[in-house]
Amino acid sequence: PAGGPSDDDVLASLVAQRTVVATTLADRLTHLKLLSKYWSSGDVVGAVGHLESIGTMVGDHDMVLAIVTDFLGRADLACDQMTLELAQRIFPLLDSLIFTSSGPLDTHTNAAQSAPNGALALTKPRRAHVAVKSTTQLISMFGRLIVDVLNVDAQKVDLGLEERQRRCRSCRDCIVSIHGIVLRIQPAAAQLHRERKRGQRPGSAGPSLSHSLNDAIDIFRGTYDGTFPRTF
């Protein structure tokens, strides 16, 4: 059409977009290879440090979270090298993952009309699934310790205890934040599971985000071996 872009302009735009996508994927793969190298060698400290530093090396925040999702989706945080100090550094990343996995509900849909007040739409299910999986792993390892340390009433100045309580308080604050979002995306996760199950043969549906969220909620509420009391 008159005044529209020429064929050469369209072609140049497509080539430029392809170059950007190729560069982005190459950068993403480079970070994942380095993270995998750290993890496979048992250098969990190095892996966590690199996860934290990606934000300063990659300008696109969504790409940072995509790299974190890809890595934590494959990593088992319940390993011997995991410590409370490392957990404290990982929890903010998980909080970011779960926070960016959701968004406002479309008020015109039937699902939104039947959803409880405060419910959120699930925009990135895999990101939420990874956040929930990793969070429950860390809670299973350190939940009881966090509660016990926070319940200690020091009778005298104890700088070591104060530092441990500061660390545990930071973990607790992230867990509370994650829990709040888990509750708000649970209706959307359940709806997604029902929709997917309808498109599959009976019995073919794998573990769902909805089930993972239910498990996470149980842990947060203290039904998992008393790890977190309801007053937490």
Side-chain angles (χ1 to χ4, degrees):
S6 66
D7 291 345
D8 289 342
D9 290 337
V10 172
L11 181 60
S13 176
L14 290 173
V15 170
Q17 292 176 25
R18 181 177 179 182
T19 301
V20 170
V21 171
T23 301
T24 299
L25 291 176
D27 289 345
R28 187 169 169 176
L29 182 60
T30 297
H31 285 293
L32 288 172
K33 284 183 175 179
L34 185 55
L35 286 165
S36 179
K37 182 177 179 180
Y38 280 128
W39 197 264
S40 61
S41 66
D43 187 2
V44 178
V45 174
V48 173
H50 190 74
L51 282 174
E52 292 175 314
S53 67
I54 292 175
T56 62
M57 295 182 281
V58 178
D60 185 347
H61 184 60
D62 201 57
M63 179 180 169
V64 173
L65 295 179
I67 294 171
V68 174
T69 301
D70 286 344
F71 175 70
L72 292 182
R74 293 179 294 175
D76 182 5
L77 298 184
C79 60
D80 293 338
Q81 295 88 350
M82 186 57 60
T83 64
L84 179 62
E85 187 269 336
L86 291 174
Q88 179 206 355
R89 294 162 61 183
I90 293 172
F91 271 125
L93 297 173
L94 302 179
D95 197 12
S96 293
L97 287 188
I98 197 77
F99 180 78
T100 58
S101 71
S102 59
L105 284 172
D106 183 350
T107 57
H108 299 293
T109 63
N110 292 332
Q113 294 171 5
S114 61
N117 291 335
L120 293 171
L122 189 59
T123 56
K124 292 181 171 61
R126 182 169 181 267
R127 189 175 290 184
H129 210 149
V130 169
V132 168
K133 180 209 76 164
S134 300
T135 299
T136 52
Q137 287 177 338
L138 293 180
I139 290 175
S140 296
M141 295 183 71
F142 301 109
R144 188 181 299 280
L145 173 62
I146 291 170
V147 172
D148 288 346
V149 170
L150 290 177
N151 284 336
V152 172
D153 184 13
Q155 301 299 318
K156 58 182 179 179
V157 176
D158 186 337
L159 296 181
L161 174 60
E162 290 177 5
E163 174 60 22
R164 289 195 299 276
Q165 288 186 325
R166 182 195 64 79
R167 190 167 289 157
C168 290
R169 197 172 295 111
S170 174
C171 292
R172 180 199 61 190
D173 291 346
C174 282
I175 292 169
V176 170
S177 175
I178 293 168
H179 181 209
I181 298 176
V182 164
L183 291 173
R184 296 175 70 187
I185 64 176
Q186 168 62 8
Q191 176 66 23
L192 177 64
H193 179 58
R194 287 192 294 268
E195 291 173 355
R196 288 180 173 176
K197 198 170 183 180
R198 281 197 295 267
Q200 296 174 324
R201 296 187 304 274
S204 66
S208 70
L209 175 58
S210 177
H211 292 160
S212 296
L213 289 171
N214 279 330
D215 291 342
I217 291 171
D218 283 345
I219 290 177
F220 288 130
R221 286 177 174 170
T223 57
Y224 183 84
D225 194 27
T227 299
F228 276 167
R230 292 182 182 274
T231 57
F232 181 76

